[in-house]
């Protein structure tokens, strides 16, 4: 009876929220009457290294060995098509050239076993609500298991345009310092620092997204954000106490805190960013972030993983994006992961940043009310089912 009451309560909240926020309504994308010329091309390429001996004939019929705990099963996502009015991509036979098509929306995400379930839900949510899903290219960053992720993506999203990039964890291992939560110390959390190097130089702009979120609006709206002279665009939260993100050692050293001279920095969450990669490369932003990470190793100027270096480099020079594009903190704090409500205002993206993740809480039978809004995008199939 207790589980029934809890489930009913979660479902009731979800129904109420869909009435409060129309963008949360589920809908099936309309069938395209004039779809992209490369509509079903799945790239499945790998950058920086190639896996020999791959059999390309069985990519859409994935065999998942049940005795491997790292292999998870996912059902195939519904096929999505462009709606009327979408620009048609150029007829391209070279897969690498397709990645460079400027008419596409480019989305970068990481893939790892721990957060894979969240990543798959995030991809599905983006495609489901996009007006032009066939015009989206995904750039996935990994540190291992290329063969597994490639096969899994092809079987779950046979129509997906994607490319996989290998991120060398050794680039950051010596620069990562301990954080408030061990998960924040994983090298893949720092892969976003290297997007300008990892992605082809023909990719001039990208949306970076964390794995613990779902998009409930057309991502084209976010893609069309004008960055002006700025390198990064993101929702800013200027009411937050910015000083808490750095230690007393930082604020007591004028050589360090003077980096903010001439700008008014605000907190922003690096899990949702629009990045001008051309400006990023021109201004050597990767090197600037690395320099702060080196200082951190010697001086211990912050505690919170990969976020503070971004604040140091971009705080006060971020192009503000509507808050609707990052309803963050739904995972609670970084210690307890307690339930949290939505921030006031409209919703285009729900982000479970913090310790609590919706798939873990749902499986445990103790979900937070808002976790019910993540569940419809979950493509995971329990191996025992």
């Amino acid at each position: 009876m207790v589980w029934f009451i809890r489930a009913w309560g979660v479902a009731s909240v979800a129904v109420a929220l869909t009435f409060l926020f129309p963008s949360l309504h589920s809908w099936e994308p309309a069938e395209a009457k004039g779809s992209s010329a490369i509509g079903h091309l799945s790239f499945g390429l790998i950058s920086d290294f190639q896996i020999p001996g791959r059999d390309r004939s069985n990519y859409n019929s994935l065999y998942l060995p049940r005795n491997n705990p790292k292999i998870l099963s996912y059902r195939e996502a519904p096929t999505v098509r462009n709606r009327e009015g979408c620009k048609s991509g150029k007829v391209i036979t070279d897969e690498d050239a397709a990645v460079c098509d400027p008419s596409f929306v480019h989305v970068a995400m990481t893939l790892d076993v721990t957060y894979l379930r969240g990543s798959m839900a995030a991809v599905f949510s983006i495609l489901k609500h996009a007006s032009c899903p066939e015009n989206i290219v995904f750039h996935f960053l990994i540190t291992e298991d290329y063969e597994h992720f490639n096969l899994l993506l092809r079987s779950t999203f046979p129509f997906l345009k994607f490319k996989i990039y290998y991120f060398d964890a050794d680039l950051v291992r010596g620069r990562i310092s301990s954080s408030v939560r061990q998960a924040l110390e994983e090298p893949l959390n720092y892969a976003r620092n290297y997007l300008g190097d990892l992605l082809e130089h023909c990719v001039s702009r990208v949306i970076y997204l964390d794995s613990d979120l779902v998009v409930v609006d057309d991502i084209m709206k976010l893609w069309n954000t004008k960055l002006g002279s700025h390198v990064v665009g993101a929702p800013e939260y200027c009411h937050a106490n910015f000083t808490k993100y750095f230690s007393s050692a930082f604020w007591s050293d004028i050589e360090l805190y003077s980096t903010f001279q001439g700008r008014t920095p605000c907190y922003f969450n690096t899990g949702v960013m629009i990045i001008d990669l051309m400006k990023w490369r021109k201004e050597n932003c990767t090197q600037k972030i690395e320099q702060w990470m080196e200082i951190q190793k010697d001086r211990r100027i912050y505690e919170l993983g990969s976020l503070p270096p971004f604040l140091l480099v971009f705080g006060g020079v971020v192009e503000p994006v509507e808050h609707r594009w990052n309803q963050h903190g739904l995972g609670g704090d970084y210690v307890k992961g307690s339930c949290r409500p939505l921030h006031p205002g409209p919703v285009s993206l729900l982000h479970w940043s913090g310790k609590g993740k919706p798939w873990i809480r749902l499986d445990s039978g103790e979900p937070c009310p808002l976790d019910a809004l993540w569940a419809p995008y979950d493509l995971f199939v329990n191996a025992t089912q």
Side-chain angles (χ1 to χ4, degrees), residues 111-125:
L111 286 180
D112 69 343
V113 173
T114 303
Y115 287 91
L116 180 59
R117 190 167 168 186
S119 299
M120 301 295 272
V123 171
F124 182 35
S125 72

Side-chain angles (χ1 to χ4, degrees), residues 44-48 111 138-142 146 149-151 153 162-166:
L45 303 176
I46 185 75
S47 179
D48 293 342
L111 286 180
F138 287 86
H139 304 263
F140 295 111
L141 314 178
I142 65 169
Y146 165 75
F149 290 131
N150 186 43
L151 290 172
L153 287 167
F162 71 92
K163 184 167 182 176
I164 297 176
Y165 303 77
Y166 174 74

Side-chain angles (χ1 to χ4, degrees), residues 236 238 260 262-266 315-317:
E236 288 187 301
C238 295
F260 293 121
R263 48 185 172 135
T264 305
C266 295
V317 288

Side-chain angles (χ1 to χ4, degrees), residues 285-301:
C285 293
T286 295
Q287 289 72 24
K288 292 177 181 178
I289 290 173
E290 286 181 334
Q291 288 171 5
W292 282 113
M293 292 176 69
E294 294 289 352
I295 293 173
Q296 160 72 354
K297 292 291 290 185
D298 294 333
R299 305 285 297 276
R300 194 66 185 178
I301 59 175

Side-chain angles (χ1 to χ4, degrees), residues 130-152:
S131 57
C132 304
E134 295 177 278
N135 293 7
I136 302 174
V137 178
F138 287 86
H139 304 263
F140 295 111
L141 314 178
I142 65 169
T143 57
E144 60 179 352
D145 289 340
Y146 165 75
E147 199 68 41
H148 165 213
F149 290 131
N150 186 43
L151 290 172
L152 185 59

Side-chain angles (χ1 to χ4, degrees), residues 139 165 193-206 231 275-288 314:
H139 304 263
Y165 303 77
N193 302 359
Y194 296 88
L195 285 171
D197 299 324
L198 290 170
L199 273 57
E200 288 82 356
H201 278 218
C202 62
V203 181
S204 60
R205 181 183 176 96
V206 70
V231 178
I275 303 174
D276 185 322
L277 292 176
M278 294 182 67
K279 291 191 180 77
W280 179 285
R281 296 169 184 130
K282 184 178 180 180
E283 298 181 18
N284 297 315
C285 293
T286 295
Q287 289 72 24
K288 292 177 181 178
F314 300 109

Side-chain angles (χ1 to χ4, degrees), residues 2-300:
V2 173
W3 70 264
F4 176 80
I5 294 173
R6 180 182 293 123
W8 176 257
V10 171
S12 300
V13 170
V15 171
L17 284 169
T18 54
F19 281 104
L20 288 172
F21 306 107
S23 62
L24 294 176
H25 280 292
S26 298
W27 54 273
E28 293 297 330
E31 293 294 325
K33 295 186 178 180
S35 60
S36 166
I38 57 174
H40 297 300
L41 180 61
S42 296
F43 304 147
L45 303 176
I46 185 75
S47 179
D48 293 342
F49 71 91
Q50 295 288 336
I51 305 298
R54 286 179 289 175
D55 179 9
R56 303 181 69 89
S57 64
N58 66 349
Y59 275 159
N60 289 333
S61 57
L62 180 62
Y63 168 67
L64 299 173
R66 294 184 183 275
N67 61 347
N68 186 345
K70 296 177 69 176
I71 301 296
L72 303 179
S73 302
Y74 293 82
R75 67 180 184 273
E76 183 176 320
T79 301
V80 291
R81 295 284 185 270
N82 284 353
R83 290 191 280 174
E84 290 188 30
C86 295
K87 293 181 180 179
S88 296
K90 294 179 289 187
V91 178
I92 298 174
T93 56
D94 184 282
E95 292 174 331
D96 275 313
V99 174
C100 297
D101 192 327
S103 68
F104 290 154
V105 173
H106 293 268
V107 178
M109 300 178 65
T110 60
L111 286 180
D112 69 343
V113 173
T114 303
Y115 287 91
L116 180 59
R117 190 167 168 186
S119 299
M120 301 295 272
V123 171
F124 182 35
S125 72
I126 293 167
L127 296 171
K128 184 177 180 65
H129 294 284
S131 57
C132 304
E134 295 177 278
N135 293 7
I136 302 174
V137 178
F138 287 86
H139 304 263
F140 295 111
L141 314 178
I142 65 169
T143 57
E144 60 179 352
D145 289 340
Y146 165 75
E147 199 68 41
H148 165 213
F149 290 131
N150 186 43
L151 290 172
L152 185 59
L153 287 167
R154 286 181 176 272
S155 66
T156 308
F157 305 103
F159 49 85
L160 192 68
K161 298 179 179 67
F162 71 92
K163 184 167 182 176
I164 297 176
Y165 303 77
Y166 174 74
F167 174 64
D168 185 359
D170 289 338
L171 284 172
V172 294
R173 285 194 199 280
R175 296 187 174 100
I176 298 175
S177 56
S178 59
S179 183
V180 294
R181 189 160 60 93
Q182 187 174 359
L184 300 177
E185 301 171 23
E186 292 298 323
L188 202 55
N189 285 333
Y190 296 82
R192 73 194 85 186
N193 302 359
Y194 296 88
L195 285 171
D197 299 324
L198 290 170
L199 273 57
E200 288 82 356
H201 278 218
C202 62
V203 181
S204 60
R205 181 183 176 96
V206 70
I207 295 173
Y208 177 83
L209 297 176
D210 273 351
S211 299
D212 52 356
L213 55 78
V214 292
V215 176
V216 294
D217 202 347
D218 188 355
I219 201 167
M220 180 64 73
K221 298 176 183 177
L222 180 60
W223 178 255
N224 287 334
T225 301
K226 299 185 186 310
L227 296 182
S229 62
H230 298 126
V231 178
V232 171
E236 288 187 301
Y237 303 89
C238 295
H239 64 278
N241 181 6
F242 189 81
T243 61
K244 73 177 183 179
Y245 294 101
F246 303 98
S247 67
S248 57
F250 175 85
W251 292 114
S252 61
D253 190 328
I254 189 172
E255 290 187 8
L256 296 176
Y257 71 73
S258 62
T259 189
F260 293 121
Q261 186 174 359
R263 48 185 172 135
T264 305
C266 295
Y267 163 76
F268 66 95
N269 181 280
T270 54
V272 179
M273 297 184 290
I274 312 161
I275 303 174
D276 185 322
L277 292 176
M278 294 182 67
K279 291 191 180 77
W280 179 285
R281 296 169 184 130
K282 184 178 180 180
E283 298 181 18
N284 297 315
C285 293
T286 295
Q287 289 72 24
K288 292 177 181 178
I289 290 173
E290 286 181 334
Q291 288 171 5
W292 282 113
M293 292 176 69
E294 294 289 352
I295 293 173
Q296 160 72 354
K297 292 291 290 185
D298 294 333
R299 305 285 297 276
R300 194 66 185 178

